Amino acid sequence: MIRGWLCGLALVAAGASLAACSGGPAMPLGRARAYSSFQACLLTGSAGVAASPGREAWAGMEDASASTSAKVSYLAVTGPATKANALTFLGSLLVRKCDVVVAVGAPEQAAAAADAGKFRKVRFLLAGAGQQGPAAAANVTVLSPAHSG
């Protein structure tokens, strides 16, 4: 009983393997991936990366991360599908200091286009259907479905 308690405490405190506590062979340490300081963030609708267009955008971002070691993350907007609501979630990504924000979905794209002028060092990519017309700020790129090929 005490041995199990101590092993559990050791696992939490030191991250040791369960095999080492049970007297079995120790498991090799996992290999950590080294990332660059560059961060790309995806802002999606409530379906996140489980459905289009988030799924395709996320797959492309993961491929790019594997090639460049850039960190990638995503945030799904929950609640009403409105620009005002998406602005709150966009703010969360900007606080994380994302270098690039990819927005998919009409409310998410509208929020990114609205705030892009305030964050000139961040690049915004409005990907897929939803955004109509030219980019509002120099740091915004609109990628229409016809160009996503």
Side-chain angles (χ1 to χ4, degrees):
M1 174 80 171
I2 292 177
R3 180 176 181 217
W5 226 92
L6 290 174
C7 282
L9 185 59
L11 284 171
V12 171
S17 71
L18 183 60
C21 286
S22 66
M27 299 292 291
L29 296 175
R31 291 175 37 169
R33 182 171 173 194
Y35 287 100
S36 71
S37 62
F38 189 87
Q39 285 193 71
C41 304
L42 174 62
L43 183 64
T44 73
S46 61
V49 297
S52 287
R55 176 181 29 219
E56 292 82 7
W58 183 244
M61 290 175 69
E62 285 186 313
D63 288 346
S65 175
S67 299
T68 65
S69 299
K71 296 177 204 170
V72 293
S73 64
Y74 72 90
L75 184 60
V77 175
T78 59
T82 64
K83 173 182 156 184
N85 187 41
L87 279 167
T88 304
F89 290 84
L90 176 62
S92 295
L93 294 180
L94 295 169
V95 168
R96 289 186 201 172
K97 303 213 184 282
C98 297
D99 298 293
V100 171
V101 173
V102 178
V104 295
E108 294 75 23
Q109 292 175 353
D115 264 9
K118 300 175 193 171
F119 300 93
R120 299 257 180 226
K121 292 184 180 181
V122 178
R123 296 289 308 163
F124 292 87
L125 176 61
L126 311 182
Q131 181 64 29
Q132 302 297 319
N139 58 335
V140 177
T141 301
V142 177
L143 182 62
S144 69
H147 294 103
S148 61

